[in-house]
Amino acid sequence: MSIRIDILSAVPKLLASPLSESILKIAQEKKLAEIVVHDLRTFTHDKHHTLDESPYGGGAGMILKPEPIFECIESLTAQRTYDEIVYVTADGEPFTQKIANDLSLKSNIIILCGHYKGIDDRVRQSLVTRELSIGDYVLTGGELAALVIADAVVRVIPGVIGDGESALTDSFQDGMLDSPHYTRPPEFRGMKVPDVLLSGNHKDIAAWREEERVKRTEERREDLIHKK
Ligand code: ADE
């Protein structure tokens, strides 16, 4: 199983470093993910490479013009079939672990980043198949949101994370938060690792972790308990 993610951006430099480090880099090296960034400016044809214009009807902020976005998306859809054309936007559907898991099963997805005030609504009406928000706050552009989504999607593809189990035991995978983790040394500045983790008794360790997951979830995210 592998995924191709095309990210369309007016500020592609924002995407370069996160895509070339850590899990996103490893996934691409293992050929489990191919992430291709497209600079929307290369789809402009005027001398000044104009990507944005002021909004009809007046108001603050600039709006990404429809033509470069249509041209870029049409050049991609002419080459392969896309399962989803995602627009990242603060007024989209809240992004969750479940959506990340679902998207990780797709073969080809486009993530379109807005910038400035937004994009011409005709793009949303006729090209976009899904709109996602990473939280109730406004970012300057969709790039950071696209990276969040790409990371969350790619890390759950089987084989991306070395330890096969690791992504499945993340917080949220079963609607619960993760338990605390410790590594060497057993005592640090007077703080001890819980004895059970040093006991070697796997049954007791599993029971302790489950208890801690419940405790943490109750303390920090009661809403998740009621969701179950
Ligand atoms: N673009 C601007 N704000 C955003 C948000 N909260 N989520 C996704 N994309 C955005």
Side-chain angles (χ1 to χ4, degrees), residues 1 3-5 23-24 27 32-33 95-106 109 111 132 146-158 160 167:
M1 200 164 61
I3 194 169
R4 175 178 167 123
I5 305 176
I23 288 295
L24 288 172
L32 293 169
F95 181 62
T96 59
Q97 185 66 56
K98 174 161 189 335
I99 297 175
N101 297 348
D102 291 347
L103 288 177
S104 77
L105 302 172
K106 310 284 187 196
I109 62 175
I111 306 180
L132 296 175
L147 289 166
V148 165
I149 291 170
D151 184 281
V153 167
V154 166
R155 64 178 280 106
V156 292
I157 295 173
V160 166

Side-chain angles (χ1 to χ4, degrees), residues 39-93:
D39 182 353
L40 286 170
R41 214 166 283 279
T42 61
F43 294 87
T44 57
H45 303 291
D46 63 308
K47 201 170 84 195
H48 301 290
H49 301 289
T50 313
L51 263 183
D52 56 328
E53 298 266 15
S54 47
Y56 276 129
M62 299 293 273
I63 308 297
L64 288 183
K65 291 161 62 62
E67 302 95 317
I69 301 174
F70 267 78
E71 228 185 86
C72 182
I73 290 181
E74 282 167 355
S75 77
L76 291 170
T77 53
Q79 293 171 60
R80 66 191 68 75
T81 304
Y82 283 88
D83 303 294
E84 208 81 84
I85 300 179
V86 175
Y87 173 51
V88 278
T89 174
D91 58 9
E93 176 189 359

Side-chain angles (χ1 to χ4, degrees), residues 146-195:
L147 289 166
V148 165
I149 291 170
D151 184 281
V153 167
V154 166
R155 64 178 280 106
V156 292
I157 295 173
V160 166
I161 289 184
D163 162 22
E165 258 206 318
S166 190
L168 289 176
T169 60
D170 283 346
S171 281
F172 300 111
Q173 274 300 3
D174 61 358
M176 299 273 269
L177 300 185
D178 201 0
S179 59
H181 300 287
Y182 296 89
T183 185
R184 277 183 277 272
E187 184 172 341
F188 175 69
R189 298 194 178 177
M191 296 176 282
K192 288 195 170 136
V193 173
D195 287 337

